[in-house]
């Protein structure tokens, strides 16, 4: 109940050790005036939690420890009866703080994380730890490097053993403002963890392949989209000579880098950066993929537009495996649509959305990872980036059907 | 380094009257001139240079029969959506493109490009669909000339929204305090039900701008209504000041526009004044939280 009282000092986190809150039931106008005068007595520093307004209402006063004796003497002298409501304000504050922290801790355990809500970076990172703790035989958390602002970047590795098994890569949140993607990453990681052992297809997949999930591929941008600018897209790297920060991390990969479909202007939201892999967030992923050497699929998840795309973006000519990729994509999109009727378009990036150079799946495809796909999740522009939270789980659920189809196909077509 | 493009225009959005032409911006007492004559600042010319580099490979435009799933048809369809909203939109009727069935594009001498589309459009609020044929013309040449659109709706207009419009109009004509709302929807996509008509009004007013600004190389959506504030007026309409964020998909930019517009059930939305606000980096002084 303590938070129901207005208290300026409470917000300032000033220590209130052995301060007390006393309650006065005023009996006359004269008493009201007297109490109001108390407020101006600067040397006593009393703080009214319920102001003296009328004889109908109680007056609650927080009295600092050093003023307790003079204030109580003053009230007694003027025949104003009072009772001590709170004997030690600090004690109560500590208790409440502990309660709040306990609640937050509980929320962070996997079972009670609300998957149908958007969470900040700290919450997602804490939740990752609980997921790993709950499924230690399936999931490990790997630190793959830091962001520009020195935040850790974590990948969840789903593996049932083996050594350097063929692997599937999924990243979400490379563009900060695409909040439904990080949220989908969280839901999907949880889905895989809970379905392993019960879903036959998923179980067989994880018995022969590993799955790597980078849920927050752009942590600096994600934080900035929470604290400063909901529409932030890029990284937060400094561009020398310009007030504008950030590089579009999906124009920064080494595939047609600097070509059409990316901007050379640092203030642009599609700025490709000074050179390929200049962004540490991108370099960290490239390093992992290259040193692993055995990835068979690479899937990047974005929003919005409801599209499922394959290479290329940097040129409009067909990839060598165009026909096969289109066929897999179409089947995956049909699975997605089967859940709620959400319609997706399938095609190469360059044909479906725009020519764009330096994109992640072009790089992965040219590196030899044949099954490279990019998703643009819900919706088609009504809400756009600010998709209502109540659509997170439906979006993640339908997307999972498409992801699963692609992963099963990869499992069944080793190369 | 404020770069203000002030365009004073009277844009009419009258329901039910065919072949509405959008009148070109008129000069006014304000000394800011037509956008084309505003001198380029250093960074603006950098930006234009950067875009020309991008544009180089896109010069080969899709011609003849269009693949309805590919972006040329999709972008043209979006322009039709904006047009239909300027003509038929209401706080209780918002049009969205659902599917492109077929399309055709051709060059018209040296003056521009003409599109013909068959689409399905959808009344977003009631989720009712109808088919629609549309013709578009994107003029070529220097300076930003808006596209011309010919398209009409019949089926969706049969849905009766008059009572809702009247009720909204009366409520805010006679309210004691002027309404004002920020961030519709909020960062989490939430919007109070009684604020939805104002979100829709912000989208409608923005549709005039999005229509005006569209080319074959753009695709616009309203990202968010940052602010919509009712103003006093003696006249037979409601008047609003509104700040919206537009998302341009091809460049991925968020572009801020401020508008002064009016609405009544009889007249629909009329945009009285519109102004593009400076780029984020020119405003990035203090943190702004949603």
């Amino acid at each position: 109940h303590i938070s129901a009282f207005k208290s300026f000092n409470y917000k300032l986190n000033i220590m209130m050790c052995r301060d007390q809150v006393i309650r006065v039931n005023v009996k006359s106008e004269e008493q009201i005036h007297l109490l109001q005068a108390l407020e101006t007595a600067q040397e006593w520093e009393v703080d009214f939690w319920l102001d003296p307004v009328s004889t109908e209402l109680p007056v609650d006063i927080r009295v600092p420890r050093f003023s307790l004796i003079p204030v109580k003497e003053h009230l007694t002298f003027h025949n104003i009866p009072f009772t001590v409501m709170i004997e030690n304000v600090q004690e109560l504050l500590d208790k409440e703080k502990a309660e709040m922290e306990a609640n937050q801790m509980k929320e962070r355990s996997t079972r009670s994380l609300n998957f149908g809500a958007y969470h900040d970076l700290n919450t997602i990172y804490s939740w990752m730890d609980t997921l790993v703790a709950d499924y230690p035989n399936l999931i490990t958390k790997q630190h793959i490097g830091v962001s520009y602002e020195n935040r850790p970047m974590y990948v969840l590795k789903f593996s049932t053993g083996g050594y350097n098994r063929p692997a599937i890569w999924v990243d979400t949140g490379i563009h900060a403002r695409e909040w439904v993607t990080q949220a989908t990453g969280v839901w999907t990681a949880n889905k895989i963890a809970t379905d392993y052992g019960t879903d036959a297809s998923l179980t067989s997949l994880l018995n022969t392949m590993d799955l790597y999930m980078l849920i927050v591929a752009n942590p600096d941008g994600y934080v900035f989209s929470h604290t400063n600018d909901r529409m932030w897209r890029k990284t937060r790297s400094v561009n020398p000579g310009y007030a504008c920060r950030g590089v579009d991390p999906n124009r920064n990969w080494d595939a047609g880098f600097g070509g059409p479909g990316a901007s050379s202007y640092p203030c642009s939201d599609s700025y490709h950066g000074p050179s390929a892999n200049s962004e540490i967030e991108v370099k960290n992923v490239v390093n992992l993929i290259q040193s692993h050497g055995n990835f068979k699929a690479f899937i990047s998840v974005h929003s919005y537009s409801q599209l499922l795309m394959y290479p290329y973006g940097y040129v409009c000519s067909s990839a060598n495996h165009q026909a096969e990729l289109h066929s897999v994509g179409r089947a995956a999109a049909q699975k997605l649509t089967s859940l709620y009727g959400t319609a997706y378009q399938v095609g190469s990036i360059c044909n479906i959305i725009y020519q764009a150079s330096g994109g992640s799946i072009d790089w992965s495809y040219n590196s030899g990872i044949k099954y490279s796909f990019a998703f643009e999740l819900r919706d088609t522009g009504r809400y756009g980036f600010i998709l209502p939270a109540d659509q997170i789980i439906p979006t993640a659920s339908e997307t999972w059907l498409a992801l699963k189809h692609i992963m099963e196909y990869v499992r069944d077509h080793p190369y | 380094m404020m770069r203000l493009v002030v365009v004073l225009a009277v844009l009419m959005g009258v329901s039910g009257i065919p072949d509405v032409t959008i009148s070109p911006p008129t000069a006014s007492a304000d000394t800011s001139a037509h956008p084309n004559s505003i001198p380029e600042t250093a960074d603006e010319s950098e930006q234009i240079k950067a875009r020309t580099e991008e544009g180089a490979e896109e010069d080969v435009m899709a011609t003849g029969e269009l693949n309805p799933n590919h972006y040329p048809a999709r972008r043209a369809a979006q322009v039709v959506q904006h047009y239909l909203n300027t003509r038929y939109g209401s706080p209780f009727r918002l049009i969205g493109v659902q599917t492109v069935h077929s399309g055709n594009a051709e060059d018209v001498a040296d003056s521009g490009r003409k599109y013909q589309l068959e689409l399905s459009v959808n009344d977003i609020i009631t989720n009712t669909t109808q088919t629609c044929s549309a013709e578009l013309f994107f003029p070529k040449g220097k300076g930003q000339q808006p596209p011309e659109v010919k398209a009409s709706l019949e089926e969706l207009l049969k849905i009766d929204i008059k009572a809702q419009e009247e009720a909204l109009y009366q409520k805010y004509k006679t309210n004691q305090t002027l309404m004002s709302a920020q961030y519709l929807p909020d960062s989490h996509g939430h919007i109070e039900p009684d604020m939805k008509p104002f979100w829709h009004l912000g989208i409608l007013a923005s549709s005039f701008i999005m229509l005006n600004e569209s080319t074959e190389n753009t695709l616009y959506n309203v990202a968010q209504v940052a602010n919509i504030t009712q103003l006093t007026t003696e006249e037979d309409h409601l008047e609003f000041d509104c700040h919206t964020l537009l998302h341009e998909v091809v460049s991925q930019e968020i572009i801020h526009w401020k508008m002064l517009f009016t609405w009544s059930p009889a007249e629909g939305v009329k945009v009285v004044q519109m102004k593009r606000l400076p780029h984020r980096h020119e405003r990035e002084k203090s943190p702004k939280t949603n």
Side-chain angles (χ1 to χ4, degrees):
Chain A
H1 75 282
I2 212 175
S3 44
F5 296 104
K6 83 166 168 121
S7 179
F8 181 66
N9 289 336
Y10 169 63
K11 290 194 175 88
L12 289 181
N13 274 324
I14 290 170
M15 284 303 284
M16 297 183 196
C17 238
R18 286 189 263 138
D19 291 2
Q20 291 187 348
V21 176
I22 61 180
R23 170 162 286 188
V24 179
N25 287 303
V26 275
K27 295 285 179 271
S28 70
E29 281 295 320
E30 198 194 315
Q31 285 187 349
I32 290 183
H33 293 313
L34 218 118
L35 289 173
Q36 284 170 343
L38 199 62
E39 203 162 17
T40 63
Q42 302 223 343
E43 69 275 23
W44 285 342
E45 286 182 38
V46 299
D47 168 28
F48 282 84
W49 283 15
L50 288 177
D51 288 312
V53 245
S54 86
T55 54
E56 310 281 305
L57 300 167
V59 179
D60 288 344
I61 315 166
R62 182 183 64 80
V63 183
R65 181 165 49 107
F66 59 82
S67 311
L68 279 172
I69 293 175
V71 167
K72 285 177 178 175
E73 273 181 4
H74 179 81
L75 294 174
T76 311
F77 180 77
H78 289 281
N79 285 316
I80 300 176
F82 61 89
T83 49
V84 177
M85 277 240 307
I86 300 173
E87 288 223 30
N88 186 338
V89 176
Q90 189 59 45
E91 219 178 73
L92 208 57
L93 287 177
D94 290 343
K95 195 171 139 224
E96 196 190 37
K97 186 160 173 249
E99 236 183 81
M100 274 173 60
E101 276 170 5
N103 281 338
Q104 278 185 325
M105 288 301 289
K106 265 197 274 175
E107 232 230 339
R108 284 171 191 162
S109 103
T110 50
R111 261 135 308 183
S112 52
L113 183 82
N114 181 2
F115 295 106
Y118 294 111
H119 299 290
D120 66 18
L121 187 70
N122 286 340
T123 308
I124 293 178
Y125 276 9
S126 301
W127 167 82
M128 276 185 203
D129 287 336
T130 61
L131 187 73
V132 170
D134 285 353
Y135 300 94
N137 296 325
L138 181 63
I139 314 175
T140 51
K141 185 178 88 168
Q142 273 187 22
H143 182 269
I144 68 164
V146 294
S147 67
Y148 181 84
E149 290 175 335
N150 216 31
R151 293 185 174 86
M153 288 180 66
Y154 297 122
V155 150
L156 293 178
K157 177 183 172 185
F158 296 76
S159 178
T160 59
Y163 172 73
N164 199 237
R165 280 182 177 169
I168 295 170
W169 169 270
V170 178
D171 63 76
T172 55
I174 198 170
H175 288 136
R177 61 194 180 199
E178 299 168 6
W179 281 15
V180 73
T181 70
Q182 297 92 339
T184 292
V186 166
W187 182 94
T188 306
N190 182 68
K191 176 72 172 165
I192 294 168
T194 50
D195 273 12
Y196 175 76
T198 51
D199 178 315
S201 181
L202 178 69
T203 307
S204 87
L205 188 134
L206 284 171
N207 286 343
T208 52
M209 298 185 78
D210 292 343
L211 181 60
Y212 286 70
M213 281 195 68
L214 175 59
I215 293 176
V216 189
N218 178 5
D220 297 347
Y222 191 57
V223 170
F224 196 74
S225 72
H226 280 263
T227 58
N228 285 68
D229 182 354
R230 176 62 179 83
M231 298 295 165
W232 189 261
R233 168 181 167 91
K234 303 187 286 182
T235 61
R236 289 292 298 163
S237 53
V238 167
N239 293 308
Y242 291 89
C244 321
R245 288 172 73 141
V247 164
D248 184 341
N250 206 30
R251 302 286 184 277
N252 190 243
W253 302 71
D254 196 2
F257 176 83
S263 177
S264 57
Y265 179 50
C267 297
S268 165
D269 256 331
S270 57
Y271 173 50
H272 49 55
S275 58
N277 303 324
S278 63
E279 300 315 280
I280 188 170
E281 294 85 354
V282 170
K283 192 77 175 92
N284 290 335
V285 175
V286 170
N287 287 345
L288 184 153
I289 303 278
Q290 284 179 339
S291 53
H292 183 283
N294 204 19
F295 276 89
K296 300 301 176 187
F298 186 98
I299 301 168
S300 276
V301 183
H302 296 257
S303 76
Y304 58 93
S305 287
Q306 292 173 205
L307 308 169
L308 176 44
M309 301 175 289
Y310 46 80
Y312 287 111
Y314 74 94
V315 285
C316 284
S317 43
S318 300
N320 283 342
H321 306 96
Q322 155 106 5
E324 185 187 3
L325 292 174
H326 191 85
S327 164
V328 176
R330 245 178 18 142
Q334 274 165 7
K335 292 267 169 73
L336 187 154
T337 306
S338 73
L339 196 57
Y340 298 113
T342 309
Y344 264 60
Q345 304 302 320
V346 180
S348 71
I349 294 172
C350 193
N351 285 330
I352 288 292
I353 192 170
Y354 42 48
Q355 187 173 15
S357 57
S360 65
I361 73 165
D362 285 358
W363 170 82
S364 64
Y365 182 78
N366 282 350
S367 301
I369 303 174
K370 181 172 26 162
Y371 300 113
S372 292
F373 291 94
F375 281 81
E376 292 275 1
L377 303 184
R378 291 196 195 180
D379 59 13
T380 55
R382 173 148 167 78
Y383 288 94
F385 299 120
I386 40 182
L387 194 72
D390 63 12
Q391 287 197 44
I392 294 173
I393 296 177
T395 301
S397 306
E398 67 192 11
T399 306
W400 172 236
L401 298 182
L403 278 173
K404 224 170 81 134
H405 178 88
I406 295 171
M407 299 198 309
E408 286 162 358
Y409 187 91
V410 175
R411 172 198 67 198
D412 298 340
H413 295 80
Y415 63 98
Chain B
M1 260 228 286
M2 296 281 276
R3 193 178 71 219
L4 299 178
V5 177
V6 180
V7 178
L8 286 173
V10 179
L11 298 173
M12 320 274 269
V14 186
S15 323
I17 295 179
D19 284 335
V20 173
T21 46
I22 296 174
S23 32
T26 49
S28 76
D30 191 301
T31 50
S32 307
H34 188 279
N36 289 341
S37 63
I38 286 184
E40 292 173 358
T41 53
D43 55 334
E44 189 174 350
S45 54
E46 249 180 297
Q47 198 168 4
I48 290 169
K49 194 169 78 127
R51 287 229 199 91
T52 355
E53 281 159 16
E54 300 158 34
E57 285 216 28
E58 271 198 274
D59 280 353
V60 182
M61 291 291 197
T63 298
E65 196 174 323
L66 300 176
N67 185 320
N69 297 328
H70 290 185
Y71 69 73
R74 193 69 191 72
R75 288 179 195 174
Q78 194 86 342
V79 176
V80 176
Q81 174 180 306
H82 299 321
Y83 170 76
L84 290 173
N85 278 316
T86 62
R87 239 184 100 173
Y88 301 109
S90 151
F92 304 97
R93 182 191 295 128
L94 209 59
I95 309 297
V97 166
Q98 204 172 57
T99 327
V100 182
H101 299 294
S102 66
N104 201 283
E106 62 187 45
D107 291 309
V108 178
D110 251 332
S111 63
R113 280 172 47 86
K114 186 173 115 170
Y115 283 72
Q116 213 272 325
L117 298 176
E118 298 294 326
L119 335 153
S120 282
V121 296
N122 169 265
D123 174 336
I124 293 172
I125 297 166
T126 61
N127 200 19
T128 325
T129 307
Q130 72 158 81
T131 54
C132 173
S133 300
E135 264 176 44
L136 300 93
F137 180 71
F138 290 98
K140 213 200 295 215
K142 294 221 190 307
Q144 177 66 49
Q145 275 185 283
E148 294 160 27
V149 185
K150 267 209 201 109
S152 59
L153 292 181
E154 285 104 30
E155 288 308 306
L156 297 185
L157 299 185
K158 293 180 184 159
I159 299 166
D160 186 14
I161 54 172
K162 284 197 181 58
Q164 291 173 84
E165 288 183 316
E166 268 312 312
L168 184 76
Y169 181 70
Q170 286 309 322
K171 178 174 177 192
Y172 287 92
K173 209 47 178 135
T174 58
N175 57 349
Q176 300 288 41
T177 42
L178 300 168
M179 71 73 63
S180 181
Q182 284 78 45
Y183 301 118
L184 303 176
D186 69 14
S187 286
H188 297 242
H190 177 75
I191 178 168
E192 289 297 311
D194 59 350
M195 285 295 110
K196 278 194 171 172
F198 300 102
W199 176 35
H200 298 159
L201 278 171
I203 294 174
L204 295 182
S206 303
S207 297
F208 288 86
I209 297 173
M210 294 191 288
L211 177 63
N212 235 26
E213 297 288 304
S214 287
T215 68
E216 290 166 284
N217 299 319
T218 61
L219 196 150
Y220 281 96
N221 284 301
V222 175
Q224 192 179 40
V225 174
N227 185 302
I228 178 164
T229 301
Q230 187 183 4
L231 306 171
T232 41
T233 172
E234 294 300 311
E235 317 210 18
D236 290 338
H237 53 223
L238 303 178
E239 189 162 315
F240 298 93
D241 185 76
C242 143
H243 173 171
T244 62
L245 278 57
L246 304 185
H247 176 222
E248 201 289 288
V249 172
V250 180
S251 65
Q252 288 295 345
E253 297 294 338
I254 300 290
I255 309 164
H256 294 240
W257 283 84
K258 253 185 112 64
M259 285 152 274
L260 188 66
F261 72 92
T262 63
W263 174 78
S264 73
E267 296 178 337
V269 170
K270 282 196 209 178
V271 177
V272 173
Q273 215 179 93
M274 57 187 191
K275 177 166 90 182
R276 182 178 165 155
L277 296 179
H279 191 266
R280 177 202 296 121
H281 66 273
E282 286 155 350
R283 287 176 285 104
E284 203 169 65
K285 297 292 176 216
S286 53
K288 171 175 74 87
T289 41
N290 273 6

